[in-house]
Amino acid sequence: RASQRGVRRSRRLRWTAAAIVVLALAGTWAAVRLNASRELAARVDAKLAAGRDDLAEAKTVEAELARLEKNAFALFDARRPEEAETAWTEVLAARRRLVDTLARAAGDLEPAAALDPGRADVRAAFADTLYERARRAEMYGDDAAVRELLLRLALYDDDGSRRRRWAAPARLSVRSTPPGAAVMVERYVDDGTGRVAPQPSGSPVQTPFALAGLAPGSYRLQLRSPGYGDVSYPLTLPRDANLEVDVTLFPAAEIPPGFAYVPAGPSRR
C-alpha cells in the first residue's frame, strides 16, 4: 500500500509540474503577445501622428498656394507680365510643395494601414490623403493619377463619404451688367484625341440665372448682348462648389476690332 501511495504521489507531482510548466509557457506567450501588440500599436501611432502632421502642413501650404495664385492672376489681369511670371514661379513651387507634402503623408499612413488593417482611424486618415491627392491630380490634369488614386480610395473609404463628395455636383449662378445677356455654357471635354475642347452643355440662357447639378470641371461662358462686345469667361467648377459669377459687359465701340474681352475670374491656368 505504501508503494501504491508513493506511485500516486509521484504521478500527482509530475502532473502538477507539467501543469506549472504549461501555465508558465502560456503566461510567457501571453506576455510576448501583449508586448508585440503594444510595440505594433506604438509603431502605428507614430506613423499616424506623422501622417496627420503632414496633412495639417498640406492645409497650410494649400492656403498659401491660394494666396499666391490670387496674386499672380491679378498681375496677369493687370498686364504686368514680368511681375506676373515671377509670381507664377512662386505658384508652381508651392504646388510642388503641396504635392510632395501629400505624398509624404501617404508614405506615413499607407504602411500604418498595412501594419494594422483594422485601425479605423488610420484607414480614415489614409482615405483623406488619397482624396486630396486625387483632387490635386485632377486640378493639374493628371488623369492617370486620378484613376489610380480613386481605385485605391475605394479600398479605404469605409463609409463611402469621400466617394460621395467626389461625385457631388456643382452649382453656378451668373449675373451680368447689364442684365439680360444671352449665355452659352460650354464644358471642356476630351475630344477623343487627348485634347480638350469646349462643348455646349445646353441651350443658351439669359442672365441672371442659376444652374445646379453641373459636373465638376473646366467651363467657358460665352456672353452676348446687343450693342456690347462678346465676352468669353473661363472658369473651373470644383466639386460640390457653389460659384457665383458677376460679369460686366462693355460697349462694342470700346473693344478694338479683332479683340475679345476676357474678364478676370476663376479659371485653371
Side-chain angles (χ1 to χ4, degrees), residues 90-112:
E90 296 179 354
V91 168
L92 295 178
R95 285 183 176 181
R96 287 191 296 270
R97 191 160 65 252
L98 177 56
V99 169
D100 291 344
T101 303
L102 289 171
R104 192 168 64 245
D108 290 323
L109 294 168
E110 187 169 18

Side-chain angles (χ1 to χ4, degrees), residues 143-218:
D143 295 335
V146 171
R147 288 192 294 270
E148 177 197 353
L149 289 163
L150 291 181
L151 287 173
R152 296 172 67 193
L153 178 63
L155 301 175
Y156 293 92
D157 184 24
D158 295 332
D159 62 0
S161 61
R162 297 158 192 86
R163 283 168 291 170
R164 288 193 296 272
R165 198 189 324 158
W166 184 268
R171 298 163 297 281
L172 174 66
S173 301
V174 180
R175 298 182 299 272
S176 70
T177 304
V183 183
M184 175 61 75
V185 180
E186 301 172 330
R187 186 185 181 200
Y188 284 90
V189 297
D190 192 325
D191 63 4
T193 66
R195 299 179 180 179
V196 293
Q199 299 291 334
S201 60
S203 302
V205 289
Q206 283 193 326
T207 58
F209 66 88
L211 297 175
L214 295 173
S218 296

Side-chain angles (χ1 to χ4, degrees), residues 71-146:
N71 178 59
F73 293 158
L75 291 171
F76 278 114
D77 292 333
R79 295 181 175 84
R80 295 159 61 182
E82 292 185 3
E83 295 175 72
E85 290 298 337
T86 299
W88 195 247
T89 300
E90 296 179 354
V91 168
L92 295 178
R95 285 183 176 181
R96 287 191 296 270
R97 191 160 65 252
L98 177 56
V99 169
D100 291 344
T101 303
L102 289 171
R104 192 168 64 245
D108 290 323
L109 294 168
E110 187 169 18
L115 285 170
D116 192 347
R119 284 279 295 266
D121 53 349
V122 176
R123 294 176 63 84
F126 186 44
D128 288 339
T129 305
L130 291 171
Y131 180 91
E132 290 301 321
R133 294 184 73 190
R135 189 169 66 88
R136 280 289 152 184
E138 183 183 51
M139 287 183 183
Y140 304 151
D142 192 346
D143 295 335
V146 171

